[in-house]
Amino acid sequence: MSMLDKIKGMLKGHEDQARKGVDKAGDMVDQKTQGKYSGQVDQVQDKLNDQIGRSDQQ
């Protein structure tokens, strides 16, 4: 079992809270870097939210 599978298992049923955490963390990074890396932060947020939302059956 990979680390990603373990994390997905822990988040099961709490996807909305996890998405809020990802958004909050991204906003904090944007604030600390004064928006210098906002494009990259947005890409990472999108990828993480996709991973959170994906079902185990791909």
Side-chain angles (χ1 to χ4, degrees), residues 10 12 15 26 38 49 51-52 58:
M10 291 186 329
K12 196 146 207 94
E15 291 87 359
S38 63
N49 284 328
Q51 287 292 323
I52 292 168
Q58 294 180 354

Side-chain angles (χ1 to χ4, degrees), residues 8-54:
K8 283 182 181 179
M10 291 186 329
L11 293 176
K12 196 146 207 94
H14 304 285
E15 291 87 359
D16 291 338
Q17 289 176 328
R19 283 191 191 92
K20 287 180 187 177
V22 168
D23 290 338
K24 207 175 220 184
D27 292 344
M28 185 184 71
V29 170
D30 280 339
Q31 180 184 5
K32 295 288 183 181
T33 62
Q34 298 174 350
K36 186 175 181 180
Y37 303 104
S38 63
Q40 291 91 336
V41 170
D42 290 342
Q43 288 177 348
V44 171
Q45 284 176 312
D46 290 341
K47 288 184 182 192
L48 284 172
N49 284 328
D50 287 345
Q51 287 292 323
I52 292 168
R54 265 191 209 162

